[in-house]
Amino acid sequence: MRPLSRFFPILDWGRHYNRQTAANDFIAAVIVSIMLVPQSLAYAMLAGLPPEVGLYASILPLVAYAIFGTSATLAVGPVALISLMTASIIGAVHLPAGVSPVLAAMTLAIISAVMLLAMGLFRLGFIANFLSHPVISGFVSASGILIAVGQVRHLVGLPKTDGNLPEILAGLVSHADKVNVLTAFLGFGCLGFLFWVRSGLRRVLCRLGIAGVWATFVVRAGPVLAVIITTLASWYFDLAAEGVKIVGTIPQGFPAFSAPSFNPDLWRQLALPALLISVIGFVETISVAQTLAAKRRQRIRPGQELIALGMANLGAGFAGGLPVTGGFARSMVNFDAGAQTPAAGLMTAVGITGATVFLTPVLYYLPQATLAATIIVAVLTLVDLKTIIHIWRYSRADFGAMMVTVVLTLFLGIEPGIMGGVVVSLMLYLHRTSRPHIAVVGQVPGTEHFRNILRHDVATGTSVLTVRPDESLYFANCRFLEDRIYALIAENTVLKHVVLMCSAINEIDASGLESLREINARLRDAGVMFHLSEVKGPVMDRLAPSGFVDELAGQVFLSQYDALSKLDPAALTPCRIA
């Protein structure tokens, strides 16, 4: 049973499932289901797809994650960022004959699933590490701005305007004379109501003595209340006849299983975008899952999360949906509502299925402006000004990478934004590590500690030079170390020994090894002995078979204190015994 539960976590938590846990999961599922119905419709609209696609993508992915996922409270489904990426990707590719946008979205979900499963099986989750926090934060904030601005047209009833930020703004300005007053009144009214629900309703409920789960339920039901009120108003006053755009007919019933497109040209065009969706979706999923797990001292297995997310996207693809990932807002609602196990996701899937089967005819008169207001309120939380200010204060280089990501995303699009951010981050890393901090160190009097002579009052001699590079040695920085050592020995004509203090070196690549050989040979020709000290075990495991230790003119010392005791004992100060 144990090996199976490793791949099917449902077998683990399912053995301990009881009535009380089921009751808690049921309450959470009711709250999340109510929240997800309008949200799923809205995110499908954001992706440029029919509204039912969002509902279809909110059923089987929840079932798949409940079987394969390791988070007790993560809720998967369509999210704003992935929906925006889906819209951008489908709009950019040349769809082959017979391939509709819905079929392309299904195919994108399937390709993403294959990539996620491969990353999980071959332990390639480290790829996500190339997306640094500043890049992710900048990308998410820029995407939030793009989404919010892009939905303004729905708020006021203007024609479709896609593209980057300047193109969207230009479209809004050029069609300003076509604003539908009723749509604008409805849209901005919904927007104001939803902002008030988020910021002010909880305080009102607290004054009325309503708190905890029930307060969360009422607040999260705000979008549902907006949907009900505006749908009734649209039906009663026949707002569609006045130019207010409505959702229209939504197919009723459970989604039918269907196959994606296997057109090789489409797969070629979607391959790189699917990889970006996979990596960004995994980063968002694991971030949310680990944040919530830490609150309950639970454990998340990232490798298994790749499998679970891959299976969730398979479910979305074959059910006629779009790519999915773990959503922060819905997962927080699930957590706050008291979900105890992934069974809450199974129950939520049942709730969404019920809405798909029984409630879709009621949504015929739902104004698109209501869904746009729901999206705007949800995505403005993505714009994280606090993090931007914090990164500016902490690291101007990381802030630069963030701003490159923001600017490219806003003005060129999603793919250039994320790829540009990654490239700039890697270039900044290479630049920073290619010129590492290299300290000349001396003994802190009365101790066995050695510190930078420029920062501490230390004891040094004239015959021994100790150099401590604060970075691993690799192809980009080994020449810098060579030049630094040669410059230092040129300043000291009585020097007899150079000790490379390796306490901060975690890795030495082939280029670094050749540099050490070159330094050893050059110093030996100059009559100076080259030594190593405090070499870490894994580093020595690589150096020993290479033959470098046998070639070394000097010795390898266990500690820097041992090195000075042997090479220049007169320069040492006696150690104080505590």
Side-chain angles (χ1 to χ4, degrees), residues 253-561:
F254 191 81
F257 286 96
S258 54
S261 170
F262 291 99
N263 185 292
D265 181 55
L266 181 63
W267 278 63
R268 178 187 58 77
Q269 293 184 75
L270 294 180
L272 179 58
L275 178 60
L276 292 178
I277 279 187
S278 301
V279 173
I280 291 171
F282 173 62
V283 170
E284 184 172 355
T285 296
I286 203 67
S287 175
V288 174
Q290 289 180 334
T291 298
L292 297 181
K295 293 177 182 292
R296 294 182 181 175
R297 298 188 179 184
Q298 295 170 339
R299 179 172 172 262
I300 298 299
R301 290 191 281 122
Q304 184 63 26
E305 288 300 293
L306 282 166
I307 301 294
L309 195 56
M311 296 303 295
N313 274 279
L314 274 182
F318 283 110
L322 69 158
V324 298
T325 191
F328 181 75
R330 69 185 65 193
S331 298
M332 280 300 301
V333 172
N334 203 32
F335 179 89
D336 292 338
Q340 299 296 310
T341 71
L346 290 173
M347 297 177 187
T348 301
V350 173
I352 300 297
T353 301
T356 305
V357 173
F358 299 109
L359 296 182
T360 49
V362 180
L363 298 172
Y364 178 89
Y365 289 98
L366 172 61
Q368 292 184 9
T370 302
L371 297 180
T374 302
I375 292 173
I376 291 173
V377 172
V379 302
L380 285 181
T381 59
L382 300 178
V383 184
D384 193 353
L385 295 178
K386 186 180 296 184
T387 297
I388 293 174
I389 294 171
H390 170 72
I391 292 177
W392 161 260
R393 292 173 175 171
Y394 182 76
S395 171
R396 300 299 166 84
D398 287 335
F399 178 79
M402 172 186 278
M403 285 298 100
V404 166
T405 306
V406 169
V407 171
L408 290 179
T409 301
L410 291 178
F411 290 90
L412 293 182
I414 288 175
E415 288 184 40
I418 196 70
M419 295 300 293
V422 170
V423 170
V424 171
S425 292
L426 292 177
M427 290 176 62
L428 288 173
Y429 171 78
L430 289 173
H431 178 266
R432 183 169 56 247
T433 56
S434 67
R435 300 176 62 84
H437 178 258
I438 298 177
V440 176
V441 301
Q443 182 200 16
V444 178
T447 73
E448 294 188 6
H449 300 295
F450 288 78
R451 295 292 184 269
N452 191 335
I453 63 173
L454 301 179
R455 293 177 177 269
H456 299 271
D457 184 14
V458 295
T460 60
T462 56
S463 63
V464 177
L465 171 69
T466 302
V467 177
R468 187 197 68 208
D470 292 334
E471 189 66 63
S472 293
L473 299 183
Y474 74 116
F475 65 91
N477 64 15
C478 50
R479 183 58 60 87
F480 184 79
L481 174 65
E482 287 186 50
D483 294 341
R484 177 66 172 150
I485 290 178
Y486 299 152
L488 289 170
I489 64 172
E491 298 171 0
N492 189 345
T493 58
V494 297
L495 194 66
K496 296 180 180 178
H497 304 277
V498 171
V499 182
L500 187 69
M501 188 175 174
C502 303
S503 55
I505 297 177
N506 299 312
E507 177 72 25
I508 299 176
D509 72 358
S511 299
L513 176 61
E514 287 306 309
S515 280
L516 293 181
R517 284 196 166 109
E518 183 66 22
I519 292 170
N520 182 55
R522 290 274 295 270
L523 294 185
R524 184 172 50 207
D525 292 343
V528 178
M529 304 289 283
F530 187 44
H531 310 268
L532 305 180
S533 72
E534 302 189 10
V535 183
K536 294 182 177 180
V539 176
M540 182 57 74
D541 291 341
R542 299 285 299 276
L543 289 180
S546 71
F548 172 72
V549 176
D550 297 327
E551 302 169 14
L552 190 63
Q555 303 177 50
V556 179
F557 295 96
L558 182 63
S559 71
Q560 184 59 30
Y561 189 83

Side-chain angles (χ1 to χ4, degrees), residues 31 62 65 86 96 107 122 159 164 174 239 243 255 266 326 337 389 425 549 554:
I31 295 174
L62 286 168
Y65 186 84
T86 300
T107 306
F122 295 103
N164 54 41
S174 64
L239 297 182
L266 181 63
I389 294 171
S425 292
V549 176

